[in-house]
Amino acid sequence: MTIRAAKFTPEVMLSAPRRSAGIPNSDGSKILYSVSTYSFDEHSKKSEIRMLDVESQQTSLITDSPLARSPTWLGDDSILLLVSTDEGETHVVVGETGDANKWDIVGEIPGPVGDLKIKQIDNDTFAFAVSGKATPDGELFNPEKAKKPLTSGRLYKKMFVRHWDHYVDENRNAIWLGRLTKTDGKFKLSELKNALKGTGLECPIQPFGGGDHFDISSTGFIFTAKDPDLDPAMHTKTNIYFSTASSFWAGDDGIQSIPTPQKIDIVGFEGASTSPVFSPNGKQAAFLSMKTDGYESDKNQLFIIPDTRTPNWVIHALASANGKGAWDRSPSSIIWTPDSTSMYLVAEDNGRICLFAYRFELKPKPDLPLMILKGGSISDVTPLKEGDLFISSSSFIDNSLYSLLPVHNTVPGHVFSLPDGIKSASTTTKYISSQTKNGGMFGLSRKQIDEIHWPGAAKGTKIHAWVVKPSFFDSKKKYPLAYLIHGGPQNSWVNGWSTRWNPAVFAEQGYIVIAPNPTGSTSYGQSFTDAIQGQWGGLPYEDLVLGFEWITANLTYVDTNLAVGLGASYGGYMMNWIQGHPLGRKFKALVTHDGVFSMTGQMASEELYFPFHDIGGTLASSPAAWAKWDPSRFTANWSTPHLIIHSELDYRLTMAEGLAAFHTLQTRGVESQFLTFPDENHWVLKPENSLLWHEVVLDWINGFVGLEKYTEARKRALEAERESMQ
């Protein structure tokens, strides 16, 4: 980390090194990681793979090739990398930790692959799995060598036509399996086989599926895939499939044959199944599944295959009579303990991403998972050989933290071993490394973060909100309000790092940032999340109105007469909804990023199951429900200055939504601006585009609340710096 900033600005955030989750060796003494840094002076990105020696806290360069990725340990002394070539192929290379300049090419894969997984079978044999696109005949697709079509036309006879940010073509994701063997000290990778060839199945599932969609063990592999008999635009149902054999990885030159994947049936669960993972000994497996088809934010519930020799023997852990599950949290990932007896679950809880411990036992009233680490936002958990946990996480003020959770003392009355002195659902980690020195490199600190609650619109609910203050906060002064509304709507503001919507960037401009989690938000129980259905402009809007009133009455350091509102996706919908309703008159300015203007525009989206579920039917069957929460019905009230942002490659909420909102504002004579990016999707990801996004947004809102425009302040600072150097 070479950046030390007196003030946290968009340039500082976007040019700061971005470090991946850490990859520890077996005892956690050495940590592999990838890191990328963007330079606005050189307009280029630098990528490195490095290794941290935990004891000395020194890092060493493994490679600075921008083509290298997926660092993986082979034992404790060898490192494997995937390296792209100019011809679109992938080289598999192996090197020793003590000789980072010497790499052996141990395999050549004829196309681009990723999501690498390796499982040691014996001392000299490793199972090898990657994902990559397959052509219709099952061969690995290489876009650099593919024959170019003579026409740009595409004919579709079913949905999807396009998905997220690309038009769907005939190639599909597949899992490629092989065997890595070591003979006379040299590694060699066998030819890879398409494990899904001829099945009609696709894994990982687009657009965001990755290594969490499949796993390998000493006896086979397990994965999730969309149900091939259902239209993917209308259904969320995915199935778990299992392929196993006692000699799965055997063969003279690689895998002899791959058994046809077997579908795992789960009675009563028709939604998405994800996160399949084997126990370390390969004798058990676990996965997550949702009950309701068409609802992508249903609760994940835990299922266990207690004996992989009989994969259709599936146990619903933490079951309840009503089918909703005994544990009112929705885990996102499963990590087995090294002894294969228990597991850890990562799940959101009250605006944080936390870690829970769980041991399945067949008894009438099983113990619920126990919180053992309260986030922040935990992004990755790796058990070490002695059972301790290596944790990668972030927070509002720290973009990358590595820590160790010792696991060696038993909590009375619970089956799990936990750190000394722990008697409740919180614990202390051992610090390993912070990319930003706990935010200090950015001039940020934990004292800037606070939390508030207010009574919600629905009886008995309380709305939780994060408060982020400037580093120069003075309780005796008043600051303008930046009211940030999250997307989803089944989502939440969690105490984690973001380079797209970072509350600290707004706070350091001089705002009190309040980021509420209204009705529909995740991490507060499934009933609270489900309550958004049929209520898009109802309960959440009322929660936000009540919050604005509560802030005005209770936070003396917030000047709600100088308030701005900002939101993206559903948050953008809410900005458009607020613009047409009384709360809109409370703001000096609004910002909508990729928001909904007209509900009927949702019919141009790709995943139609989403509006059909949330609104309560199709446009044809429920036209009144679609019209009820349509922001375009209230454009006669639009009068607050409004910045609209929408990008060309956003196929989830199409470009027409942003243009329609901007044109409405312009024809009404409302002060407004429109920012668009032809090469961005639902998110703005390219550093130069992101910097422009921040410049435009901050200039827009600052100009309405009496703060200096961001670009003017930056220009003044640069001129002062030049003068001081003369």
Side-chain angles (χ1 to χ4, degrees):
M1 181 71 184
T2 57
I3 293 177
R4 182 177 292 276
K7 183 176 180 179
F8 185 55
T9 65
E11 288 98 329
V12 170
M13 176 184 70
L14 295 170
S15 60
R18 303 187 188 191
R19 188 169 70 170
S20 69
I23 307 160
N25 62 355
S26 65
D27 64 2
S29 61
K30 294 181 175 65
I31 313 298
L32 289 172
Y33 62 92
S34 302
V35 61
S36 65
T37 308
Y38 190 83
S39 169
F40 285 104
D41 292 330
E42 299 176 2
H43 307 291
S44 63
K45 186 174 87 168
K46 179 181 179 181
S47 299
E48 297 178 333
I49 295 174
R50 304 190 70 88
M51 182 174 67
L52 169 68
D53 182 277
V54 173
E55 183 176 359
S56 68
Q57 287 292 293
Q58 298 299 308
T59 69
S60 57
L61 178 67
I62 301 299
T63 178
D64 59 1
S65 169
L67 303 177
R69 61 191 186 280
S70 305
T72 305
W73 291 101
L74 293 177
D76 282 342
D77 299 316
S78 298
I79 299 170
L80 182 146
L81 303 175
L82 301 180
V83 181
S84 300
T85 72
D86 293 338
E87 294 76 31
E89 299 175 347
T90 302
H91 286 173
V92 181
V93 302
V94 173
E96 302 296 318
T97 57
D99 190 358
N101 294 317
K102 183 180 179 182
W103 295 94
D104 294 324
I105 298 175
V106 302
E108 298 183 14
I109 303 172
V113 296
D115 301 318
L116 171 66
K117 291 201 171 187
I118 289 179
K119 171 71 176 179
Q120 188 162 7
I121 304 300
D122 56 41
N123 288 338
D124 298 318
T125 307
F126 296 82
F128 183 98
V130 288
S131 69
K133 289 276 189 181
T135 62
D137 60 2
E139 299 303 310
L140 185 61
F141 175 67
N142 185 335
E144 297 299 322
K145 297 183 177 182
K147 184 179 179 180
K148 306 301 180 186
L150 299 176
T151 175
S152 61
R154 296 183 177 98
L155 177 64
Y156 293 88
K157 297 182 179 180
K158 62 179 182 178
M159 301 180 285
F160 294 131
V161 170
R162 54 189 189 178
H163 199 193
W164 186 248
D165 59 4
H166 64 279
Y167 278 82
V168 175
D169 60 25
E170 62 184 0
N171 303 309
R172 296 290 182 268
N173 286 341
I175 304 168
W176 303 82
L177 303 179
R179 196 178 63 188
L180 186 68
T181 54
K182 188 176 185 181
T183 305
D184 298 328
K186 296 290 186 179
F187 285 96
K188 181 182 179 181
L189 179 65
S190 70
E191 181 181 358
L192 301 187
K193 290 189 176 182
N194 181 352
L196 304 186
K197 187 174 182 178
T199 65
L201 302 174
E202 180 176 21
C203 179
I205 301 168
Q206 299 190 55
F208 304 122
D212 59 325
H213 280 193
F214 68 95
D215 197 21
I216 55 175
S217 77
S218 58
T219 58
F221 77 107
I222 189 171
F223 65 99
T224 184
K226 283 273 192 178
D227 191 309
D229 297 326
L230 299 176
D231 190 320
M234 300 281 285
H235 299 271
T236 58
K237 181 173 173 56
T238 66
N239 302 319
I240 298 294
Y241 297 88
F242 195 94
S243 179
T244 183
S246 58
S247 58
F248 190 94
W249 304 98
D252 294 335
D253 299 317
I255 307 174
Q256 286 184 330
S257 62
I258 299 175
T260 301
Q262 177 182 350
K263 177 185 168 185
I264 306 299
D265 292 315
I266 320 166
V267 177
F269 277 73
E270 299 297 326
S273 296
T274 57
S275 306
V277 59
F278 285 104
S279 61
N281 62 14
K283 295 180 180 180
Q284 304 165 83
F287 60 91
L288 304 171
S289 189
M290 296 179 179
K291 192 172 181 64
T292 306
D293 184 20
Y295 186 22
E296 65 181 3
S297 298
D298 198 6
K299 183 168 70 173
N300 277 323
Q301 299 193 47
L302 177 64
F303 289 83
I304 296 172
I305 301 172
D307 187 343
T308 54
R309 294 172 299 181
T310 55
N312 261 317
W313 176 25
V314 180
I315 297 175
H316 182 190
L318 300 166
S320 65
N322 61 8
K324 295 182 178 180
W327 187 40
D328 198 16
R329 289 297 177 262
S330 181
S332 57
S333 60
I334 305 165
I335 305 97
W336 285 88
T337 56
D339 62 4
S340 299
T341 64
S342 307
M343 60 189 64
Y344 301 100
L345 303 171
V346 176
E348 285 188 22
D349 185 88
N350 290 286
R352 297 168 174 85
I353 301 179
C354 305
L355 184 65
F356 297 80
Y358 175 67
R359 181 169 186 169
F360 173 72
E361 292 183 305
L362 280 172
K363 56 184 183 180
K365 191 175 181 181
D367 293 329
L368 296 181
L370 175 71
M371 184 190 293
I372 60 170
L373 185 58
K374 186 176 183 180
S377 290
I378 295 170
S379 58
D380 194 72
V381 180
T382 304
L384 305 179
K385 65 181 180 181
E386 299 300 328
D388 294 346
L389 302 177
F390 178 84
I391 310 290
S392 299
S393 64
S394 71
S395 68
F396 282 136
I397 55 111
D398 193 347
N399 70 354
S400 175
L401 174 66
Y402 296 160
S403 56
L404 186 73
L405 180 62
V407 180
H408 54 77
N409 185 47
T410 302
V411 172
H414 199 272
V415 297
F416 262 82
S417 297
L418 298 173
D420 288 331
I422 300 302
K423 294 183 171 63
S424 63
S426 64
T427 190
T428 302
T429 58
K430 177 183 176 182
Y431 170 92
I432 292 179
S433 169
S434 167
Q435 179 81 355
T436 67
K437 306 303 180 187
N438 297 311
M441 301 291 279
F442 292 149
L444 304 176
S445 69
R446 289 188 178 93
K447 67 181 181 180
Q448 294 176 243
I449 313 302
D450 203 352
E451 301 173 66
I452 56 176
H453 297 81
W454 61 78
K459 184 178 180 180
T461 61
K462 274 191 171 294
I463 306 305
H464 172 231
W466 291 101
V467 180
V468 183
K469 305 170 185 175
S471 57
F472 45 86
F473 174 73
D474 183 342
S475 61
K476 296 177 183 177
K477 295 182 178 180
K478 278 184 172 288
Y479 300 85
L481 168 66
Y483 213 26
L484 268 56
I485 313 305
H486 67 66
Q490 296 92 347
N491 203 341
S492 64
W493 292 112
V494 296
N495 184 9
W497 190 259
S498 173
T499 54
R500 291 184 291 114
W501 284 88
N502 191 312
V505 163
F506 296 92
E508 290 304 275
Q509 290 294 301
Y511 292 94
I512 299 296
V513 178
I514 296 185
N517 287 328
T519 297
S521 300
T522 55
S523 83
Y524 305 94
Q526 193 61 36
S527 295
F528 190 76
T529 302
D530 293 345
I532 188 71
Q533 187 177 12
Q535 283 287 326
W536 267 36
L539 289 174
Y541 172 76
E542 295 171 34
D543 290 337
L544 296 174
V545 171
L546 291 170
F548 197 94
E549 294 171 351
W550 189 94
I551 294 162
T552 303
N554 293 277
L555 300 185
T556 58
Y557 53 84
V558 178
D559 187 350
T560 51
N561 291 315
L562 296 174
V564 293
L566 307 91
S569 195
Y570 172 79
Y573 162 91
M574 183 52 70
M575 288 301 108
N576 293 343
W577 183 262
I578 284 172
Q579 174 70 280
H581 290 80
L583 183 57
R585 309 293 77 78
K586 301 288 187 180
F587 292 100
K588 293 295 185 182
L590 300 171
V591 177
T592 289
H593 174 108
D594 288 13
V596 176
F597 172 75
S598 171
M599 294 302 289
T600 57
Q602 289 289 280
M603 287 303 298
S605 186
E606 6 88 290
E607 294 176 343
L608 289 175
Y609 56 74
F610 176 69
F612 291 175
H613 174 273
D614 272 24
I615 298 170
T618 67
L619 178 60
S621 67
S622 306
W626 283 65
K628 183 176 183 180
W629 305 119
D630 192 331
S632 67
R633 288 179 55 218
F634 304 95
T635 54
N637 301 328
W638 285 29
S639 58
T640 299
H642 205 148
L643 168 64
I644 305 294
I645 306 169
H646 219 109
S647 296
E648 291 274 7
L649 297 182
D650 185 355
Y651 298 154
R652 182 145 296 183
L653 294 170
T654 65
M655 181 68 160
E657 299 292 286
L659 285 171
F662 178 61
H663 292 168
T664 296
L665 292 160
Q666 289 280 297
T667 56
R668 286 188 52 76
V670 179
E671 187 174 356
S672 51
Q673 293 181 4
F674 180 69
L675 174 64
T676 185
F677 299 95
D679 55 348
E680 298 283 6
N681 55 35
H682 200 52
W683 303 329
V684 176
L685 300 175
K686 295 178 172 64
E688 302 281 356
N689 288 346
S690 184
L691 180 57
L692 176 61
W693 185 98
H694 282 88
E695 290 173 348
V696 172
V697 169
L698 295 177
D699 276 2
W700 174 259
I701 60 177
N702 288 6
F704 289 99
V705 298
L707 294 175
E708 185 176 17
K709 288 190 175 182
Y710 171 64
T711 54
E712 294 175 359
R714 184 177 61 184
K715 181 180 179 181
R716 181 172 49 79
L718 289 173
E719 290 174 349
E721 182 179 350
R722 281 195 293 267
E723 290 177 2
S724 67
M725 296 174 65
Q726 293 177 353

